[in-house]
Amino acid sequence: MGVREVVFNQRERLTRLERLACKWGASRAATVATANIVVNDAFAELCRLPDCTVYGLSAGCPPHVGGTFEMRKLLTQYEWAIALKIDVPTDILLGEERFHLYRVLHEIVAAVEQAAVEKGFSRARAFAGGSCKRIFCADQPDCSVLYGGPCRHPDRARPSMSGYGIDVSRLMNAAGWQMSWITRNTSAEEVPMGALVGMVLVG
């Protein structure tokens, strides 16, 4: 197989992963060069107390993940990532319903990760927004992994992008999407839609 055929084959596999992400619930999906993914130490710092009330409560969040150092190292080992988003009305993003959608986001990136492995991207790794403790194990006293046990949801829960300092705004720009910043003070009338974002490093 020549170089041109190899490149075409890889592009086709990446396109299929984008389509699968949308089939499984993503509003949009796009292949992004990892060279365009930006890591910001300040974003990872927001995962600490008192800014984040679930700091330290799960294996997928700081301080139990490699943070910005590990992510910068990882990005040098991959050429591509599948970025995906779920468009969500702002009033839902600011309410308790958002946790259900975070669960959907984790399930989509985990499924894309598995599909990528099956398509030959054996080192695929998925990341999503939100704490897996709050999303999947809110009714549990602790994260079992932190006490030497197995993850209760290994096929669905994935590490938090925030804990690795991923600049979501820059990631969305690299994917060709616009981002609207949503905070507790955002008016749903002024900014009607936001998004939840995840990514899968693929090759």
Side-chain angles (χ1 to χ4, degrees):
M1 183 180 292
V3 173
R4 184 173 298 178
E5 288 82 2
V6 170
V7 171
F8 176 81
N9 180 263
Q10 183 184 65
R11 177 65 254 183
E12 179 62 24
R13 286 185 294 156
L14 293 170
T15 299
R16 289 178 181 175
L17 291 173
E18 294 172 20
R19 291 172 181 164
L20 284 173
C22 294
K23 176 182 177 181
W24 292 330
S27 303
R28 298 280 299 277
T31 299
V32 173
T34 55
N36 294 325
I37 297 175
V38 177
V39 177
N40 189 321
D41 293 294
F43 291 161
E45 285 298 314
L46 293 176
C47 287
R48 295 185 177 276
L49 293 170
D51 295 293
C52 183
T53 58
V54 290
Y55 174 77
L57 298 185
S58 75
C61 289
H64 308 297
V65 296
T68 56
F69 176 81
E70 181 179 337
M71 181 53 64
R72 289 189 176 104
K73 183 178 179 181
L74 272 176
L75 292 176
T76 67
Q77 300 170 12
Y78 291 81
E79 186 177 3
W80 304 104
I82 303 295
L84 59 90
K85 66 168 181 164
I86 302 174
D87 293 326
V88 184
T90 298
D91 57 348
I92 292 179
L93 277 179
L94 295 176
E96 292 299 310
E97 294 175 83
R98 71 184 185 276
F99 295 116
H100 169 71
L101 293 176
Y102 273 117
R103 177 188 292 253
V104 172
L105 176 67
H106 276 248
E107 291 172 345
I108 294 172
V109 297
V112 172
E113 176 190 87
Q114 181 58 41
V117 171
E118 293 170 359
K119 292 185 182 301
F121 298 108
S122 60
R123 299 182 302 119
R125 289 189 61 177
F127 302 84
S131 164
C132 58
K133 174 67 173 70
R134 178 177 284 164
I135 297 165
F136 293 103
C137 292
D139 60 342
Q140 299 292 335
D142 53 48
C143 169
S144 61
V145 178
L146 299 184
Y147 294 89
C151 175
R152 296 183 179 95
H153 302 277
D155 297 331
R156 300 190 292 169
R158 290 299 179 267
S160 164
M161 283 175 40
S162 300
Y164 286 90
I166 296 295
D167 188 324
V168 174
S169 177
R170 300 282 288 275
L171 177 62
M172 289 185 69
N173 287 340
W177 308 326
Q178 294 290 322
M179 177 175 174
S180 298
W181 286 100
I182 307 293
T183 70
R184 295 186 184 94
N185 299 319
T186 299
S187 166
E189 293 183 358
E190 295 178 2
V191 185
M193 293 292 293
L196 300 180
V197 180
M199 74 172 191
V200 184
L201 298 176
V202 288

